[in-house]
Amino acid sequence: MGAYRLFLIAVVVVITLALGWLITHTRFGAQIRASVDNQQASAGIDIHVERVLSLTFALGSGLAGLGGGLGIDVLGLDPVFPLKYMVYFLLVVAMGGAGGIKGPLVAALLLGIIDVAGKYYVPEVGAFVIYAMMVVLLTLFPAGLSEFLAQAMRRRRA
């Protein structure tokens, strides 16, 4: 594994930990959670919902740009660059679920590992393996992995 790939892994770990901390331990994170759960109630307790959602969108857009800039060396660049990976993005969101960072992170890791393993060990149906995994995961966890992980954490704390 090259030094640049190790650097990318380190950057992802740091950003994931920072986002997790931001969402769970800061006032802004509480405002994000409240605004997503119930916009009317959030506005009623003097949270500027539009500003919070705009800042969240800006943060996400900045992170998307950073991811694209850092990943260009590994993935390459051509005119249809985003279209090649759009299905993967949608699969990660569908399998990860909404409501957290851990679910999409676990979904992305599972998707990457199973996709590569499927294409390596069963090349005839390798591209189909990720869709089979999606069907199995969404059958077992209809709300996505985020909800499953949140329930598991609540059970562990109790």
Side-chain angles (χ1 to χ4, degrees), residues 39-59:
Q39 291 185 7
Q40 282 184 324
S42 299
I45 60 171
D46 204 29
I47 293 175
H48 300 284
V49 175
E50 288 184 19
R51 182 173 46 180
V52 168
L53 295 179
S54 295
L55 288 171
T56 305
F57 181 80
L59 176 64

Side-chain angles (χ1 to χ4, degrees), residues 1-61:
M1 186 174 291
Y4 188 69
R5 288 179 189 252
L6 290 174
F7 167 73
L8 289 179
I9 291 170
V11 167
V12 167
V13 167
V14 168
I15 289 174
T16 302
L17 292 174
L19 284 175
W21 182 84
L22 175 82
I23 289 175
T24 58
H25 291 93
T26 65
R27 180 181 174 100
F28 181 65
Q31 290 177 344
I32 291 171
R33 292 191 313 269
S35 297
V36 168
D37 285 344
N38 192 333
Q39 291 185 7
Q40 282 184 324
S42 299
I45 60 171
D46 204 29
I47 293 175
H48 300 284
V49 175
E50 288 184 19
R51 182 173 46 180
V52 168
L53 295 179
S54 295
L55 288 171
T56 305
F57 181 80
L59 176 64
S61 298

Side-chain angles (χ1 to χ4, degrees), residues 71-83:
I72 213 72
D73 192 39
V74 176
L75 301 173
L77 179 64
D78 56 36
V80 293
F81 167 74
L83 299 177

